Amino acid sequence: MDSTLAMVEGEGRQRILAAAEKLFSDKAFDAVSMNAIACEAGISKANIYHYFPNKDTLYLAVLRVASHNLRAVLNEAVSAHGSVLDVLRHFARNHLQALLNRPQLVRLVWREILERGAPRAQEFAEQGFADMFSALVDVLKLGQSRGELRHDFDPALVATLLLGANVFFFQSRDILRHYPPITFADDPAGYDAGIVEILLRGLVPAPS
Amino acid sequence: MDSTLAMVEGEGRQRILAAAEKLFSDKAFDAVSMNAIACEAGISKANIYHYFPNKDTLYLAVLRVASHNLRAVLNEAVSAHGSVLDVLRHFARNHLQALLNRPQLVRLVWREILERGAPRAQEFAEQGFADMFSALVDVLKLGQSRGELRHDFDPALVATLLLGANVFFFQSRDILRHYPPITFADDPAGYDAGIVEILLRGLVPAPS
DNA sequence: AAAATACCCGACCAATCGGTCAATATCGGC
DNA sequence: GCCGATATTGACCGATTGGTCGGGTATTTT
């Protein structure tokens, strides 16, 4: 009565959320009609309004769960062990892989970041950022205090550089693939390996 | 009769294009109505259809001129002189500054890149990419052949890293600004200086 | 069984959408 | 003054939009 009922109760709601997430991740807010969502969910449009008072609330709910899920997925990438260098290597690869594994969530949240004038839910996006950033910065600081990394660079700047490299790769992958000199468009692991290697040669103290 | 008349003739058209560019850079395609464009341009909606057959064509025209202008602005950043290291330093700063100087154009073109399923004008975006990339790759290759840079890295990968760093900074600037450990959100020149310095320490051959 | 409650839908609403059209205003060339 | 062409407009169109409403149909609770 409780568990099965709860699942059945939430089924309709979740079907709507799933359909909305799919559509909202492909097209912008105004480009997705409530009719399309209802059709995708296999229910009637009026039924949506039984669960959500209006379109904005539904969109916000989608963004909330998407941000939450994305945050969880990305935070998994942080977990690592061994030397700071290895942690960085693993983080880069796992982070990019997490992005590529959930392209819908990433596009959904990132679109919200880029949209102007309407900070519908920037807080969600910022949360995901905060976790990534603080975790990365901590790792870099640890490397500095351990002497594995140089002391004369800003950890936050390197974190930005690393995150940006992955996000940029995710965003412009389709375009990068069209350029002959680029061989890593379909090899994210190789891309991150190269990126980190280049960074490390600059971060590791010179052998002198 | 030719020059002045041509300007007067094109005035209405350009007013529409300017208004459309402004609105399309803030909100997505479906979120901008022809009425809003007409209102912004100070003319009637029907008058727009005297210059453009439909909304898609107008949007395409806006994207075409925006892409062209952005391409020109960005290409200016490439021009440089002196050592390869100096060229890279100047390029990074000028490129980011160009992005920040024309936020509307950047958002407009970049939104088109991120939108799914509808490659309305990906060609335009790709053109801008191609120029940047080939120029940067050439500079890096030159540095390699001159011995100013290492030979064991992929120039295209470094070019991606550098461009991505700037684009990412441009996109997430508002978010970055909210994090205490980040001091460079309002100092793009300092950001690029730090980025390039980190990269160079990895690219320059070790003193051995 | 009856009442209550959650769920679901076809039909409908006013508003707005992109787009059309006929009519007018403007203007340079004659 | 007249005329053809270009500019410009208000009124209008069918379609679609987000959202409402009344009434159904299960499913529980009592």
Side-chain angles (χ1 to χ4, degrees):
Chain A
M1 156 185 172
D2 36 12
S3 73
T4 33
L5 182 61
M7 278 188 57
V8 173
E9 268 181 355
E11 192 192 15
R13 196 186 170 89
Q14 294 220 339
R15 268 247 291 278
I16 297 174
L17 281 175
E21 177 186 309
K22 175 179 177 182
L23 296 182
F24 279 135
S25 69
D26 275 349
K27 307 201 283 183
F29 179 79
D30 298 84
V32 177
S33 69
M34 296 296 273
N35 238 325
I37 297 176
C39 186
E40 173 76 25
I43 60 175
S44 75
K45 182 180 67 168
N47 195 10
I48 297 182
Y49 288 88
H50 174 68
Y51 295 96
F52 303 94
N54 51 49
K55 188 180 179 182
D56 289 84
T57 304
L58 169 59
Y59 180 77
L60 213 68
V62 170
L63 210 66
R64 167 171 264 118
V65 48
S67 170
H68 180 269
N69 290 348
L70 184 61
R71 198 178 170 191
V73 171
L74 289 182
N75 277 345
E76 277 187 15
V78 177
S79 69
H81 38 276
S83 71
V84 170
L85 273 61
D86 282 337
V87 171
L88 284 180
R89 276 189 261 260
H90 282 71
F91 168 79
R93 175 165 52 224
N94 290 341
H95 178 257
L96 181 55
Q97 203 61 48
L99 294 180
L100 295 175
N101 281 344
R102 302 258 189 241
Q104 287 191 9
L105 301 186
V106 179
R107 274 200 299 270
L108 195 52
V109 174
W110 201 256
R111 190 204 315 280
E112 196 57 31
I113 296 177
L114 298 182
E115 212 69 22
R116 260 326 205 62
R120 269 189 279 250
Q122 247 182 352
E123 34 170 343
F124 299 130
E126 296 191 15
Q127 286 176 0
F129 257 68
D131 295 342
M132 290 282 96
F133 247 99
S134 54
L136 247 186
V137 169
D138 286 346
V139 169
L140 292 169
K141 280 184 179 173
L142 180 64
Q144 285 181 321
S145 69
R146 277 192 189 170
E148 296 186 46
L149 300 178
R150 278 202 158 97
H151 290 76
D152 60 348
F153 68 84
D154 181 0
L157 200 146
V158 176
T160 307
L161 187 52
L162 197 53
L163 260 53
N166 279 346
V167 171
F168 183 76
F169 179 87
F170 172 86
Q171 288 182 345
S172 55
R173 197 181 176 194
D174 291 334
I175 294 185
L176 296 179
R177 197 178 284 116
H178 292 147
Y179 291 98
I182 294 182
T183 61
F184 46 81
D186 288 305
D187 179 23
Y191 171 77
D192 263 328
I195 290 283
V196 174
E197 224 46 47
I198 291 172
L199 285 181
L200 287 185
R201 306 252 189 175
L203 302 180
V204 175
S208 75
Chain B
M1 157 188 176
D2 35 12
S3 73
T4 32
L5 184 60
M7 276 189 59
V8 172
E9 267 181 356
E11 193 193 15
R13 196 186 171 90
Q14 294 221 339
R15 268 248 289 280
I16 298 173
L17 282 174
E21 177 186 309
K22 176 179 177 182
L23 297 181
F24 279 135
S25 70
D26 276 348
K27 307 202 283 182
F29 179 80
D30 298 83
V32 177
S33 70
M34 295 296 271
N35 239 324
I37 297 175
C39 186
E40 173 76 25
I43 61 175
S44 75
K45 181 180 67 168
N47 195 10
I48 297 181
Y49 288 88
H50 174 68
Y51 295 96
F52 302 94
N54 51 50
K55 188 181 181 182
D56 289 83
T57 304
L58 170 59
Y59 180 76
L60 214 69
V62 169
L63 211 65
R64 165 172 266 118
V65 48
S67 171
H68 180 270
N69 289 348
L70 184 61
R71 198 178 169 191
V73 171
L74 290 182
N75 277 345
E76 277 187 14
V78 176
S79 70
H81 39 276
S83 72
V84 169
L85 273 61
D86 282 337
V87 170
L88 284 179
R89 278 189 259 260
H90 282 71
F91 168 81
R93 176 165 51 222
N94 289 341
H95 177 257
L96 182 54
Q97 204 60 48
L99 293 180
L100 295 175
N101 281 345
R102 302 259 192 253
Q104 286 192 8
L105 302 186
V106 179
R107 275 199 298 269
L108 195 52
V109 174
W110 202 255
R111 191 203 316 277
E112 194 59 31
I113 296 177
L114 298 183
E115 211 68 22
R116 260 324 204 63
R120 268 188 280 250
Q122 246 181 352
E123 35 170 342
F124 297 130
E126 295 191 15
Q127 288 175 0
F129 258 69
D131 296 342
M132 290 282 96
F133 247 98
S134 54
L136 247 186
V137 170
D138 286 347
V139 169
L140 292 168
K141 280 183 180 172
L142 179 65
Q144 285 181 321
S145 68
R146 276 193 190 171
E148 297 185 45
L149 301 178
R150 278 204 158 96
H151 290 77
D152 59 348
F153 68 85
D154 180 358
L157 199 147
V158 176
T160 307
L161 187 52
L162 196 53
L163 260 52
N166 279 346
V167 171
F168 184 76
F169 180 87
F170 172 86
Q171 288 181 346
S172 55
R173 197 181 175 192
D174 291 334
I175 294 183
L176 296 178
R177 196 177 285 118
H178 292 148
Y179 291 98
I182 294 182
T183 62
F184 46 81
D186 288 307
D187 179 22
Y191 171 77
D192 263 327
I195 290 282
V196 173
E197 225 46 47
I198 291 173
L199 285 181
L200 287 185
R201 307 253 188 174
L203 302 182
V204 175
S208 75

